[in-house]
Amino acid sequence: MASCLIGRQLSLCVQKNLWLNSAGCRYVSKAAAKTQVEYDYDGPLMKTTVPGPRSQVMQPLKPNVCLQNVGAVNFFCNYEDSRGNYLVDVDGNRMLDIYTQISSIPIGYNHPALLKLMTNPNNLSTFVNRPALGILPPENFPDKITESLLSIAPSGMTRVQTMACGSCSNENAFKSIFIWYRNKERGHNTPSEEELTSCMTNQAPGCPDLSILSFMGGFHGRTLGCLATTHSKVIHKLDVPSFDWPVAPFPRLKYPLEEFSRENAQEEARCLEEVEDLIVKWRQKGKPVAGIIIEPIQAEGGDNHASPDFFRNLRNISRKPYRIFNTWMGDPSKNLFLVEVLNVIRRENLLEEVTRSGKALLNGLYELQAQYPGLLSRARGQGTFCAIDVRDAATRDRLLLQARDKGMLLGGCGDQSIRFRPALVFKEYHVHIFLNIFNDVLAQNK
């Protein structure tokens, strides 16, 4: 077994060197250390355009066999053969995935640690029996929560409430805010008889006219309350009734940051002033702001960043149990995965890897935007959570398709941005594969 692994690693090393030195790899950069990922492939491999023949044959069948909206389907995937940083489609095309299912595959496809977790007989009951956690949690649930979410909780946060998805988490956060706000107004937590009666017909005072302040470009979900705070794309909101809640501008920073520090500080101050004005205005309208929701980095809206000072000042401006509930309140099996993902992150020092590969990625983007100033601008990011703007939406969309046909999956965001969301196992070597391919695509679009 050991000799097989050594032989495979030697083969991978040779193949990766051939890949970096191939004729199509014209990006000039410092060679990266080729840290091996045993379950990873050695590079992209394209057999057809995407979608390929098998995906296209399946396309006409979709409306007849699927009970969901299928308009957004790009192609069909072979998840059994997908591995590490690479997604394989049904036509055998192997693509370097720098989008990772909209940033939801933290340690790559089919990580051995997660496959081992699935085969552990001690975990079978967790996968087979999904409990109503709010009333009948399993015996080990408190320990598992301590191992997972509480082990990485921000300082001072000692309680956690699991939910089934991001939207329902936000919806229940809104409910918590409203309940807290009304109890603060009452001075106690005992509702009046009028409040108890009127809430059953959606009337005040039991259903008060409170609001949540959100930011233009934000994305917080597609359920009704979350959608009222989502402002990233028209298609998300069109034809859906919504609440009259205030929307503030999110700072639009100029890059590189060190060259525009004064202008960016003024832009953030403008947005904060608008927040204060909206809070006053909505109170005067009789719809006081009970809470504020904001993303640390606006992703769907265009990978928009703001400084730490902006968030601290926003927090300063905002200084103003059983009712938070659903059937499942989360899923213990997903918590098992989270525990193992965190173990892998620690064991494989993936945060250190992300720091290195993120620096290489951002530096590469800086070089490419200098090389193609008519195409690219505003390279930005933290770690591997990076983005770059393209000159217009049509060119951005064309670049994404051309990159896909060359074996690389990327995602768009905002009006004209490309976002990069690789897995945490994305190494410097993968960065240089990406830069080589992306350079070839850009050269076709000068």
Side-chain angles (χ1 to χ4, degrees), residues 339-352:
V339 169
E340 192 54 36
V341 166
L342 293 175
N343 288 337
V344 169
I345 290 172
R346 296 176 184 120
R347 187 166 61 243
E348 299 183 10
N349 298 315
L350 292 186
L351 295 186
E352 295 177 14

Side-chain angles (χ1 to χ4, degrees), residues 137-168:
E139 177 184 13
N140 65 350
F141 192 62
D143 292 336
K144 290 299 179 184
I145 287 294
T146 301
E147 280 184 61
S148 59
L149 291 169
L150 287 177
S151 73
I152 53 172
S155 177
M157 293 190 175
T158 57
R159 297 184 180 183
V160 64
Q161 177 68 69
T162 58
M163 282 290 163
C165 68
S167 291
C168 62

Side-chain angles (χ1 to χ4, degrees), residues 147-216:
E147 280 184 61
S148 59
L149 291 169
L150 287 177
S151 73
I152 53 172
S155 177
M157 293 190 175
T158 57
R159 297 184 180 183
V160 64
Q161 177 68 69
T162 58
M163 282 290 163
C165 68
S167 291
C168 62
S169 297
N170 284 338
E171 293 281 358
N172 281 282
F174 295 165
K175 287 165 61 178
S176 296
I177 290 168
F178 294 141
I179 292 167
W180 166 83
Y181 191 93
R182 286 294 290 136
N183 285 339
K184 183 181 175 184
E185 284 190 323
R186 293 187 192 103
H188 54 78
N189 60 2
T190 305
S192 67
E193 187 60 37
E194 183 183 11
E195 289 170 330
L196 293 173
T197 303
S198 60
C199 75
M200 297 305 292
T201 54
N202 303 332
Q203 301 297 311
C207 291
D209 209 352
L210 302 174
S211 63
I212 299 289
L213 185 144
S214 54
F215 288 80
M216 187 59 66

